[in-house]
Amino acid sequence: MPIRAYNSGDPYETLIAQMVSIERQPQLALKVERSNQSVFKGVLSDFDRSLSALDSALKGLTDTLANPFAARSSSVPDDAGFGVEVSDEAAPGSHTIAVRRLATADRRVSRQFDAGGTVLRDFFDANGPQTFELTVASPTADDAGRRVALPVTVDPTGATDAEVLAEVQKAIAGATDAAVADGTLEKRGHGAGASVVNETSETARLSLRSGETGFANRLGFADSDNGLLALLDVGGGAVASGTGGGAVTAVGTGDADSALNAQFDLDGLTLYRSANTVDDALGGVTLSLDRVGDETAFRVGADGDASKQEVEAFIEKYNAALTFIARKTDINPEKGTRGDFAGDSAVRGLRFGMRNDLAGDVAGQPPGLGRLSDLGIEVQDDGTLKLVDTQALQAAVERDPSSVQRLFAAEDGGLGTRLRDRLDAFLGTGGIVDARERVVDARTKRLDARISSWDDRLSQREDQLRQQYAKLQETLSLLQGQQQSLSSFFYGGGY
């Protein structure tokens, strides 16, 4: 109810305010109760968040498809010439690698021309425009070995050999762009790069480079009718030497004899790949070949850090939920305090149920993996958990990650499964927390209605008192006037 403005110097207004304040006491009690309900609603929200955080941690531990204990990691020396990434599918074990050669792009150069010469100009003047085919790799998801031929037409206007070579370069770039535009090439990187290289200020060469590394991505050539590529000396497979043209790296005839491919020894076997990133040599393992080096050992094993993080996250959320419940159900006669859930048997039962869920063994587990203590986790005197032996956890995950997960996730009594089943009664729509919140909301709504009703009642009461005092003032004023008239009659000479 809004506070009415009144004249503080008027004793009647002061009296009205005091009387309304006295009669407002029942409403103030309702407002206190309304505030208490709001506070309790906040406690319920905190309770729900605490249980939900624990349930989320348990969900990760009990997810059989994303088993956190199946995570793998690799141990690679810092000075190794390769990197290793592993997935959960990688089998534990030790391996050796020796990188013998890195994969490289196929690069071709033309013979060296006099930059100011006219050999190429004379050729085109005699034979006209020339069209040759440049074959490049453009693998797709359905055809990893797909190769396409790009027609390259050259009709130069330049006068010098350097100018004509630049126009050949532009023709190759144009053919690549056109192939990308019409979908012949999957992407621009599948084409060929071309440039003109000036070894000296007076010489020029045409240089070509495949879009990607390895024999599978080598360049291929089909000469024009009048032999433009033969004149350039760029299409042959021989390695270039001196001022002649050819391949910068020996192309070879296949994966094993091509110097374009990476070569490495894995566990005593020699392997060849077109790229320096290899994901098909070991199941679940991706190798990144960085530099040539001697044989080096690496190991694939359980990711102890990932397992530890999952377990510690569970312990943190479990301890937070248990501590919250203990504090809110506590009764302290000495301090005269009583927790918000002290009289709630369901919440008190949850606390003891949670502790019991983690106390027993899990049936069907192998020896040494049937209880929390087997993972180095101890139950403290107050019921909270503590990871006291990380080595025990690491050893268990290394030895049998599937059994470690079943300790938590077994459908017929896993520790995490027990806890999640117990939390289900409290969480979600229709759960105990939801029911408590609906009761609080209904009670708050009734209190709001009663408080509003008191506002109307007190407003009417204030108006009533003001009217009564107005009549009283009118009566007093009338009596005062009569008194003055009588005094004037008896003492003013009127008698």
Side-chain angles (χ1 to χ4, degrees):
M1 177 183 117
I3 300 175
R4 293 178 182 272
Y6 65 92
N7 185 356
S8 61
D10 188 336
Y12 294 109
E13 289 291 345
T14 301
L15 183 60
I16 290 173
Q18 291 174 344
M19 294 182 66
V20 171
S21 178
I22 293 172
E23 295 185 17
R24 190 185 298 280
Q25 297 306 308
Q27 187 195 46
L28 295 178
L30 292 175
K31 288 184 176 181
V32 170
E33 186 176 353
R34 172 66 173 80
S35 177
N36 291 338
Q37 292 300 312
S38 179
V39 171
F40 186 60
K41 180 70 175 291
V43 172
L44 285 172
S45 296
D46 291 342
F47 183 43
D48 183 75
R49 280 193 294 271
S50 180
L51 296 187
S52 296
L54 173 58
D55 186 65
S56 179
L58 289 169
K59 184 178 180 181
L61 287 176
T62 57
D63 187 344
T64 56
L65 295 179
N67 181 0
F69 303 107
R72 295 285 183 262
S73 65
S74 61
S75 176
V76 181
D78 293 337
D79 59 349
F82 58 90
V84 178
E85 292 185 6
V86 295
S87 69
D88 294 351
E89 288 73 32
S94 295
H95 306 275
T96 59
I97 286 184
V99 181
R100 305 303 184 189
R101 182 178 62 229
L102 296 179
T104 187
D106 183 9
R107 291 175 293 165
R108 311 292 180 97
V109 294
S110 73
R111 70 181 177 92
Q112 190 181 84
F113 287 89
D114 180 356
T118 62
V119 173
L120 292 173
R121 180 68 270 168
D122 294 343
F123 173 83
F124 279 100
D125 287 343
N127 298 288
Q130 298 291 300
T131 298
F132 64 89
E133 285 188 346
L134 176 62
T135 303
V136 297
S138 185
T140 66
D142 297 328
D143 185 1
R146 178 174 177 261
R147 293 174 61 81
V148 296
L150 308 180
V152 180
T153 299
V154 185
D155 185 11
T157 60
T160 66
D161 286 345
E163 291 172 346
V164 173
L165 288 176
E167 293 186 67
V168 175
Q169 170 199 350
K170 291 180 181 179
I172 293 172
T176 300
D177 290 341
V180 172
D182 65 18
T184 302
L185 291 182
E186 284 287 298
K187 58 182 180 180
R188 185 173 301 277
H190 288 169
S195 58
V196 176
V197 179
N198 301 106
E199 294 170 277
T200 70
S201 60
E202 297 178 349
T203 61
R205 288 182 191 256
L206 180 67
S207 175
L208 300 176
R209 186 181 188 279
S210 62
E212 297 185 19
T213 61
F215 180 77
N217 298 300
R218 67 195 180 279
L219 299 175
F221 301 90
D223 207 347
S224 65
D225 291 341
N226 300 110
L228 173 60
L229 296 181
L231 176 62
L232 293 172
D233 193 16
V234 76
V239 176
S241 176
T243 60
V248 174
T249 303
V251 178
T253 58
D255 286 337
D257 71 344
S258 175
L260 300 176
N261 275 357
Q263 177 185 343
F264 59 101
D265 297 338
L266 175 63
D267 296 339
L269 299 175
T270 300
L271 285 74
Y272 303 91
R273 294 293 187 274
S274 285
N276 292 315
T277 299
V278 181
D279 59 8
D280 59 353
L282 281 173
V285 177
T286 298
L287 303 172
S288 300
L289 309 181
D290 300 324
R291 65 178 183 273
V292 173
D294 296 331
E295 184 175 87
T296 304
F298 75 94
R299 186 174 181 278
V300 176
D303 190 342
D305 289 339
S307 300
K308 180 183 176 184
Q309 289 175 6
E310 288 284 346
V311 169
E312 287 181 334
F314 156 65
I315 290 175
E316 178 187 357
K317 300 302 187 296
Y318 177 87
N319 289 346
L322 196 71
T323 302
F324 180 89
I325 296 171
R327 186 172 68 252
K328 294 300 181 180
T329 56
D330 182 62
I331 300 175
N332 192 324
E334 295 181 359
K335 296 182 179 180
T337 58
R338 181 181 177 88
D340 297 282
F341 297 138
D344 195 320
S345 60
V347 178
R348 293 177 65 87
L350 174 62
R351 176 188 177 189
F352 295 106
M354 288 171 60
R355 297 181 63 170
N356 289 336
D357 287 338
L358 300 183
D361 292 349
V362 175
Q365 287 291 99
L369 285 177
R371 54 193 311 124
L372 280 180
S373 58
D374 295 329
L375 302 183
I377 303 172
E378 287 187 355
V379 180
Q380 307 300 293
D381 292 339
D382 60 356
T384 58
L385 304 177
K386 184 177 182 180
L387 179 60
V388 297
D389 190 349
T390 57
Q391 292 183 348
L393 174 62
Q394 174 73 22
V397 173
E398 287 273 6
R399 184 172 71 254
D400 193 347
S402 296
S403 293
V404 174
Q405 190 196 34
R406 284 196 300 272
L407 179 65
F408 291 96
E411 294 183 2
D412 54 347
L415 302 180
T417 305
R418 298 175 193 170
L419 279 174
R420 292 202 74 191
D421 289 345
R422 190 173 298 279
L423 295 179
D424 281 346
F426 286 81
L427 299 175
T429 304
I432 292 175
V433 176
D434 180 62
R436 299 286 193 276
E437 289 179 335
R438 284 189 279 108
V439 169
V440 171
D441 290 340
R443 187 174 298 165
T444 300
K445 186 176 181 180
R446 291 195 299 270
L447 288 170
D448 287 340
R450 293 177 64 185
I451 291 171
S452 178
S453 176
W454 267 100
D455 281 337
D456 295 339
R457 184 185 307 179
L458 291 172
S459 179
Q460 294 173 4
R461 178 59 174 157
E462 184 176 348
D463 289 341
Q464 182 185 32
L465 289 173
R466 185 166 281 107
Q467 292 173 6
Q468 290 176 348
Y469 283 116
K471 290 180 180 179
L472 178 60
Q473 287 177 318
E474 183 181 348
T475 300
L476 289 175
S477 178
L478 179 62
L479 290 176
Q480 288 175 351
Q482 290 176 349
Q483 182 181 18
Q484 291 175 356
S485 297
L486 289 174
S487 296
S488 176
F489 180 77
F490 287 107
Y491 302 106
Y495 176 69

